Each structure stands twice: as structure tokens, then as C-alpha cells.
Amino acid sequence: MMQLTLEFGGGLELLCESKKIHNVNVEPQNGSDKLIMKDLLAWVRTNLIKERPEMFMKGDTVRPGVLVLVNDCDWELSGQLNTSLEDKDVVVFISTLHGG
Amino acid sequence: MESVAWDTDVSRILAELESLRDTKSVIEQRILALEAQLREINLRNEVSNCDSCSPTSVLDSNSPNGLSRDAIYRYSRQLLLPSFGVEGQANLLKSSILVVGAGGLGSPALLYLAASGVGRLGIVDHDLVELSNMHRQVIHTESYIGQPKVKSAAAACLKINSTVQIVEHKEALRASNALQILNQYDIIIDATDNAPSRYMISDSCVVLGKPLVSGAALGLEGQLTVYNYKGGPCYRCLFPTPPPTTACQRCADSGVLGVVPGVIGCLQALEAIKIASAVGESLSGRMLLFDALSARIRIVKIRGRSLQCEVCGENSTFTQQHFREFDYEKFTQTPLTVPPLKLNLLPVESRISSNQYSEIISKKEPHVLVDVRPSHHFKIVSLPKSLSIPLSTLEARLPEISSAIRKEEDDVEVASGSSVQLYVVCRRGNDSQLAVQYLQKMGFASAKDIIGGLESWSKDVDPNFATY
């Protein structure tokens, strides 16, 4: 079991019952001891997203306009879907805002 | 009779207001012209006689640090900062900054930029000041309602600091005029409120090689970063594909707490001042995320410039010509100046006007009115006897509609041959159509919506009915 903190912002929290911070335990997939972001996205979609999943994901990744941050760092810098997660990591999903 | 007298009163007041506003605008034009003349004369005197410094002069070539006596006193608290000092101030006074959008973000940004002593400050906005702007667009005052935001903002900036040169661009920024406007400035601040403008401003900053301070705010959250500066990414590096239009909410629909864009706008001014005066470390390559409700500010590391970026990447062929021809509205599927969405889903026989509904009430025709707006909207204002069933809960609450219709049948003597009608209303007449489509499918065949929603009720039937 891996203990993770997941945060949703910029309106994405509306997809998970308006709750922004989720402390969760996620089992690594397929008997492996490693959890990568691709697995986590699938887990989030199944377990946390309660409505309009298309506002969170497109294909097997997040929809355009969503930034993913692993431990306060853009997931583009850590390998995107292949980013390996470790116990106690903080993953933030944030939808970009346009208002002003 | 009373209502006729009341109408005459109102039209008399409106006419007088209009004529006063016209006079005011003529006087203001004259003041601006005279002020410009005065500046011109002072400037000429300064050139011919350098010993007597005019009060409006800021940079003084005779003074060892280039600052005039007045400028030294005005900016003394900034000059006293070792990390800013005379050099920082002198750089700022020589710089030019453009703020696109004089709204919730632009208001505080402009006030601080003018106060801090930016040499030349440009303002772009095509909009007029409205009462519903005042809670967050703090640069504007009530007396400017109905007037161009650019004019109101320029006047406010000059009241704080008459030595700053303010340039008014009273037009919407488009691909056809953006390069010409942005090119006149060193630093650009994106204080707009929509996706196509954000792509357009970022692209033009890349094409012109200008740093871009970008801020956004909605509800109780804000975001801030600096694009296209010191190896950092541009907006497209971060968001190569535009988001679906359903993910682009507007303050006019989703709401915004006034102080939230205020905080972000202040930080935008700060970042621009840092770049202009060449002090400190900019937010380039980092993004600030502000969550007002939980009082959290998070600064995260974002990707650098993407080599594959279509606009700023290594092999990009995006030129000024491409920019001018790029259709940003089509790219983001969002209009640049956002008119409210107007759906047209129902046949005419499934719709009634607000005037028709007003007749139904006065004739006491038996009916049920369902209001499908979210419940926090219903709490702001609603029509008498309307039943609040938000669209998102409609499916589960059909039995409530059936029983409301039965109750109406029992309460009112329904004339033979007629039946209790079902009407649906919302804010502007879009969600009500979706609701009627669904209701008709679920067996409420005669359901009809009120065209234009409560906004048209207020406009066409009852001007005292509050809009928001």
C-alpha cells in the first residue's frame, strides 16, 4: 500500500464532491511494487471522480488544460505518465483558470 | 395613473442624466486637452531652461542619478531599499508596461504600476464600467458607470501619479492590432478573462520577444506566472492544446470574490516591476497557485521552454504574418469578446416569452413554474411561487413536479378542456431549454421554457426585478 495525498484545484474538485484534499492508499498495479502516474490516473478516475470524467481525462492522460504536479513539480519534468510515485508523495491536479 | 406619473418621472430623470453626462464628457475632454497642452509647455521650458525643473519632470539629466527633486521625494521609500534603490527606480522610470484588461486583475495592477513610477503605462480594454464590476475592479468608481474602462482607469492612474505617461487603447485586442499595440511596450501584463486572448497575447509576446506576466482568477482561486522570459516556457509550451470550452468558466457565471483577482493583480504588478527595474528573481519557470479559502499559496516548478513548441520551439515557423492570420476564436472555440451563450434547442411552440408568462399570471391560468438554476442562484432572487429544482437534480426530482401539478389541479378549478401547464425558467434561457427537452422526453409533453429567462423578465416585464 502506498499512502498519497491528492489535491484537486481550479474547479477539478467539483468532479470529486467538491473535496480538494484526498488522503488515499493506493495498491501498486499488477502485482508490481511500483506505482506510476498512468496507474494512479486510472485509480483516480475509478475511485475519486464522481461526475463528468471527460472533464478530468482524455484518452489515458489528463485533458488539455490540466496541470499535474508531483511534489510541487510539473510532471513533464519527471516523465509524465511514467513518473514513479513513492510513499507520501503529493500529487496536485489543477485546471488552468482564464478568468480575471 | 400612478404608474404613468412614475414613468414620466423616470424618463425625465434619465434624460437629465444623459444630458449631464454629455456635458461632463465635454468638460473632461477639455481638461485632458488643457493638461496635455500644459505638459507640452512645461516640457518645452525644461528643454530651453534646465535650471527650473517643471513639476512634471521626473528624469533629470543634470542630477547625478538622473532623478529630479520631486521624483526623489515621491519615490523616496523605494529609493531607500538597498535591493531596489536609485538604479531600480531609474530603470522603472525608463520602462514601458502594457496592461491588457482593466478588470479585476488589471485594476490593482494598474494602480500599483502608476504609483510605483513606471515611465509609460498602456491600458487596453474595449468594455464599459458596470455596477457588477465595482466589487473587484477597484480602479473604477461609481461615477464612471457606463463609461469606457480605459478612460476611467487612465483618470484614476493620473490622479495617483500625474508624472506617469498613460496611453489609452480603447479597443479589443485582436490578431490584427495586437502586434502593433504590444510592440510599443517593454513588458506585457495579461489581465484578460478568456482563453483565446491568453493564447493570442502569449503568441504575440513570443513573436515580438517580450516578457509576459500572466495572471488569472476565478471563484476563490488564482494563478500567476511569467512566460517567455529567460528561457522559461510560453503559454503554449504549457498548454499546447486548448481546453474544452466547458472547462473555461467566467466570473459572470461562476462568481469571484473581489479580493482574489486583487491579490493576483497586485502580484502581477510586482513581477512586472521586478522585470522592469531588473531586480530579484522572476516567477519564470515557476507558477504561483493561490487558494483563498484554505489560505494556501503554493509555488510549483513548471517545465521550461519546449523545443517542440509550435510557437517558441526550435523548429517553429510561426512568424508575425502567421500570427496576424491565426484564428484564435476557432482554435479555442471561444469568442474573444464573450457574448452570453444563446442556445436555440426548442421549437417555437415549446417556448413562451416573459410577456406571455406575465399574462398567464394575470389571467390566473393554472400552471407550475420550475426554476432550474442552482440553489445558490435561487437564493439571490426568484419569481413568486416558483419551484426550485436545479437542473443537476432534475432527474431525481421528477415526482415533485408531478405532485406540484396534481396539487395545482386540486387547488384551482381547471376549466374543462384545459390543463395545468408546466413552465421552466432559468437565468438566461439556456438551461431551461435543456430541462424542457428532458421533461418532454420523460412524459411532460407540454413543458415550455421562458425565452431569455429571468433576465428577459427583468428587461421586458418588471424592471424592478433584480438581475445579477
Side-chain angles (χ1 to χ4, degrees):
Chain A
M1 268 309 183
M2 208 173 268
Q3 197 190 325
L4 300 170
T5 302
L6 308 182
E7 292 194 31
F8 297 83
L12 289 178
E13 70 280 4
L14 299 173
L15 308 177
C16 20
E17 296 172 321
S18 296
K19 195 175 153 195
K20 284 191 163 171
I21 302 180
H22 299 250
N23 291 302
V24 300
N25 292 302
V26 182
E27 191 95 55
Q29 304 292 296
N30 311 322
S32 136
D33 58 348
K34 227 175 76 172
L35 183 75
I36 60 168
M37 275 303 302
K38 189 174 195 284
D39 307 324
L40 181 67
L41 281 185
W43 186 92
V44 167
R45 186 185 170 140
T46 312
N47 295 281
L48 295 183
I49 303 294
K50 304 287 185 216
E51 57 180 288
R52 294 176 288 160
E54 74 281 3
M55 293 299 285
F56 181 60
M57 285 182 77
K58 189 175 179 190
D60 63 354
T61 189
V62 291
R63 70 150 165 87
V66 173
L67 283 181
V68 183
L69 307 155
V70 181
N71 300 325
D72 285 347
C73 197
D74 190 345
W75 75 339
E76 284 282 333
L77 301 168
S78 57
Q80 256 209 21
L81 286 168
N82 293 317
T83 309
S84 289
L85 294 168
E86 285 173 25
D87 199 38
K88 307 240 162 35
D89 274 353
V90 179
V91 183
V92 177
F93 301 98
I94 197 135
S95 176
T96 173
L97 303 177
H98 303 96
Chain B
M1 283 308 281
E2 230 171 55
S3 109
V4 171
W6 184 80
D7 280 351
T8 340
D9 259 5
V10 168
S11 48
R12 182 183 53 76
I13 293 172
L14 284 175
E16 192 177 342
L17 268 176
E18 192 166 338
S19 115
L20 285 172
R21 281 198 189 110
D22 284 348
T23 316
K24 184 177 161 210
S25 131
V26 170
I27 294 172
E28 277 171 349
Q29 290 293 337
R30 185 68 192 143
I31 291 175
L32 284 176
L34 287 174
E35 281 173 347
Q37 268 181 33
L38 191 63
R39 271 199 295 273
E40 191 82 2
I41 293 167
N42 282 332
L43 216 61
R44 246 179 285 148
N45 285 344
E46 218 176 295
V47 175
S48 62
N49 181 9
C50 280
D51 294 339
S52 73
C53 256
S54 92
T56 52
S57 95
V58 176
L59 289 167
D60 181 348
S61 52
N62 278 358
S63 137
N65 53 36
L67 294 176
S68 71
R69 186 177 166 277
D70 276 352
I72 288 175
Y73 193 48
R74 177 187 284 268
Y75 304 117
S76 53
R77 274 46 174 181
Q78 293 181 166
L79 303 179
L80 288 168
L81 285 169
S83 55
F84 190 79
V86 169
E87 265 181 36
Q89 189 67 53
N91 287 338
L92 193 57
L93 288 167
K94 280 180 223 144
S95 74
S96 55
I97 300 180
L98 178 72
V99 178
V100 188
L105 297 164
S107 289
L110 282 162
L111 290 172
Y112 274 104
L113 289 171
S116 68
V118 171
R120 187 158 45 87
L121 191 53
I123 314 168
V124 186
D125 206 308
H126 70 284
D127 224 349
L128 305 178
V129 179
E130 288 178 32
L131 184 60
S132 66
N133 299 152
M134 313 307 293
H135 80 117
R136 67 186 190 285
Q137 303 183 13
V138 293
I139 202 168
H140 309 299
T141 49
E142 287 177 9
S143 58
Y144 276 93
I145 288 174
Q147 306 244 11
K149 285 187 181 175
V150 161
K151 196 174 147 195
S152 159
C157 287
L158 285 172
K159 269 191 186 156
I160 294 176
N161 190 345
S162 62
T163 68
V164 171
Q165 193 193 340
I166 306 286
V167 185
E168 302 178 25
H169 302 276
K170 202 183 96 189
E171 55 198 312
L173 201 69
R174 295 178 305 272
S176 55
N177 64 4
L179 295 179
Q180 184 255 325
I181 295 176
L182 267 65
N183 206 18
Q184 302 167 39
Y185 299 88
D186 303 327
I187 300 164
I188 313 299
I189 291 190
D190 184 345
T192 62
D193 61 359
N194 62 80
S197 294
R198 291 185 181 278
Y199 278 101
M200 183 171 75
I201 292 168
S202 173
D203 288 356
S204 47
C205 284
V206 171
V207 168
L208 297 169
K210 312 265 183 193
L212 169 61
V213 181
S214 180
L218 188 79
L220 292 145
E221 283 183 79
Q223 298 170 355
L224 170 79
T225 189
V226 173
Y227 290 118
N228 197 43
Y229 186 57
K230 294 198 169 164
C234 78
Y235 191 66
R236 287 220 205 206
C237 296
L238 220 54
F239 306 109
T241 314
T245 51
T246 42
C248 299
Q249 294 164 316
R250 299 188 311 140
C251 294
D253 295 324
S254 308
V256 61
L257 194 71
V259 65
V260 175
V263 169
I264 300 295
C266 284
L267 289 170
Q268 284 184 281
L270 176 60
E271 285 304 305
I273 289 169
K274 279 160 57 188
I275 296 172
S277 56
V279 303
E281 191 187 340
S282 91
L283 255 188
S284 171
R286 293 181 294 160
M287 183 180 276
L288 182 146
L289 309 170
F290 174 52
D291 181 352
L293 210 52
S294 61
R296 278 200 187 87
I297 293 180
R298 171 174 237 142
I299 293 168
V300 301
K301 190 169 167 15
I302 53 174
R303 68 200 73 172
R305 189 163 73 94
S306 160
L307 299 179
Q308 284 82 44
C309 177
E310 281 188 32
V311 173
C312 78
E314 291 294 88
N315 301 314
S316 165
T317 54
F318 197 85
T319 62
Q320 298 204 1
Q321 192 55 36
H322 285 107
F323 173 82
R324 284 192 200 93
E325 287 162 8
F326 195 89
D327 189 338
Y328 287 91
E329 299 188 319
K330 200 173 153 204
F331 178 60
T332 55
Q333 299 191 329
T334 310
L336 274 164
T337 48
V338 193
L341 177 72
K342 272 216 167 6
L343 291 179
N344 205 352
L345 303 170
L346 300 174
V348 279
E349 59 271 23
S350 289
R351 314 197 71 184
I352 59 167
S353 70
S354 50
N355 277 315
Q356 283 171 303
Y357 182 69
S358 163
E359 281 170 35
I360 288 163
I361 293 183
S362 49
K363 286 188 196 153
K364 295 196 166 63
E365 286 181 23
H367 72 278
V368 168
L369 178 66
V370 173
D371 185 327
V372 292
R373 293 173 300 152
S375 55
H376 65 285
H377 286 229
F378 191 80
K379 279 182 201 155
I380 299 173
V381 66
S382 66
L383 283 174
K385 287 203 221 161
S386 52
L387 177 61
S388 171
I389 301 186
L391 184 62
S392 60
T393 66
L394 186 60
E395 196 177 341
R397 294 175 64 180
L398 291 179
E400 282 176 55
I401 298 178
S402 307
S403 67
I405 292 175
R406 273 198 304 277
K407 189 167 180 298
E408 183 79 357
E409 279 167 349
D410 293 346
D411 289 357
V412 189
E413 236 172 81
V414 181
S416 59
S418 73
S419 58
V420 172
Q421 296 294 306
L422 174 59
Y423 301 107
V424 181
V425 72
C426 66
R427 185 178 176 191
R428 298 196 183 104
N430 293 315
D431 279 355
S432 58
Q433 295 182 61
L434 294 168
V436 165
Q437 270 191 333
Y438 177 74
L439 287 166
Q440 291 183 344
K441 205 174 79 191
M442 299 310 288
F444 297 89
S446 69
K448 292 184 177 66
D449 93 307
I450 297 178
I451 298 167
L454 295 175
E455 276 191 359
S456 78
W457 179 265
S458 170
K459 196 166 129 274
D460 302 333
V461 179
D462 179 5
N464 287 322
F465 190 82
T467 54
Y468 56 95

